[in-house]
Amino acid sequence: MTETKNRKGQIFVLSGPSGAGKGTVRKRLFQEMPMLKYSISCTTRQPRPGEIDGTDYRFIDETQFRSFIGEGAFLEWADVHGHLYGTLFSDVERECSAGYDVVLEIDVQGAMQVRNRCNRCILVFLSPPSIEALEQRLRLRGTESEESMRVRLRNANYEMNHASGYDYLVINDSVEEAVRRIREIILSERNRYASSACLQGR
Ligand code: 5GP
């Protein structure tokens, strides 16, 4: 608790193609690092079976999403796989001000927007060991239609081509090892920054 009183939190962006294991890695990371906060995104896509509104995403309709855009409420937003996804500025600001480090699990378009707007962000790209491994994971997950699979695999190439714009690249060939590496990144980056303003502008 004392740590949160004296420091402003940092933003850690976690990106990687769909099926790279971001969700699994992130959940394990949060078990090990309770001081982290997860930023719950807004999305216009339909919930998958088992997904809970307000926990996994805020599931909103396109009218509401576009009105948030108009109000400038998003720190970042993007059209991903044909649906809109966005991070509310107020959510991130609240947690950072309270001293928590915030993890944004977002795509590469959103990551670049955060980089441009925030002076205390670290970008981590989680990559699958190969495109073949990615396809296998997506099929095992069994949540996507053939059409959605096709779109996600095409986008995977696009995302992988942007990995060089990130601060860190972590290959997810073992969940334990990926979690250990991201944990180390967070711990060492925490020590690198003095407490200063978390977000620029607005
Ligand atoms: P999914 O539909 O599989 O949950 O997510 C699809 C993609 O959207 C993933 O790459 C995920 O990281 C990305 N995504 C989720 N939330 C956000 C967000 O708030 N902003 C952006 N730019 N991408 C997001």
Side-chain angles (χ1 to χ4, degrees):
M1 280 303 286
T2 48
E3 192 189 359
T4 59
K5 280 186 185 157
N6 300 321
R7 70 186 288 275
K8 280 211 152 206
Q10 285 170 242
I11 295 175
F12 290 90
V13 170
L14 183 62
S15 300
S18 187
K22 295 187 298 280
T24 309
V25 166
R26 189 245 308 160
K27 281 173 194 149
R28 292 279 281 277
L29 189 67
F30 275 68
Q31 285 168 1
E32 293 187 18
M33 304 186 82
M35 285 297 293
L36 290 178
K37 293 281 177 183
Y38 177 56
S39 163
I40 300 166
S41 298
C42 298
T43 184
T44 60
R45 90 149 156 73
Q46 292 299 306
R48 295 188 185 119
E51 282 186 331
I52 300 167
D53 186 28
T55 300
D56 298 290
Y57 281 104
R58 293 196 180 105
F59 295 100
I60 62 176
D61 63 21
E62 189 162 341
T63 308
Q64 173 75 72
F65 198 100
R66 298 234 172 251
S67 113
F68 280 156
I69 296 173
E71 291 162 20
F74 287 123
L75 169 60
E76 64 73 36
W77 69 272
D79 183 330
V80 189
H81 311 139
H83 300 289
L84 302 174
Y85 294 81
T87 304
L88 286 174
F89 190 91
S90 55
D91 285 351
V92 176
E93 192 175 49
R94 187 184 58 246
E95 301 298 0
C96 283
S97 297
Y100 293 104
D101 293 326
V102 182
V103 175
L104 274 54
E105 197 185 304
I106 62 178
D107 87 317
V108 296
Q109 306 169 75
M112 295 309 136
Q113 294 171 46
V114 175
R115 163 137 289 165
N116 289 337
R117 292 194 69 182
C118 168
N119 62 357
R120 284 168 63 81
C121 66
I122 301 299
L123 272 46
V124 179
F125 192 91
L126 187 69
S127 171
S130 65
I131 288 284
E132 292 72 31
L134 185 80
E135 183 167 356
Q136 197 182 18
R137 275 185 205 162
L138 276 175
R139 290 199 186 282
L140 279 176
R141 197 161 83 179
T143 54
E144 308 308 322
S145 64
E146 270 308 311
E147 170 60 10
S148 168
M149 281 278 295
R150 210 174 48 76
V151 173
R152 280 164 193 266
L153 287 171
R154 194 180 56 221
N155 283 6
N157 281 310
Y158 167 82
E159 298 238 341
M160 306 276 271
N161 287 337
H162 286 76
S164 59
Y166 281 66
D167 300 304
Y168 296 94
L169 173 70
V170 174
I171 310 280
N172 185 16
D173 43 14
S174 137
V175 173
E176 284 71 28
E177 186 59 18
V179 170
R180 191 187 63 75
R181 287 202 52 209
I182 297 174
R183 187 169 181 273
E184 277 174 6
I185 291 166
I186 293 175
L187 291 175
S188 62
E189 289 292 342
R190 265 185 190 168
N191 293 334
R192 225 156 62 90
Y193 283 98
S195 64
S196 60
C198 176
L199 299 171
Q200 285 175 335
R202 275 183 60 108

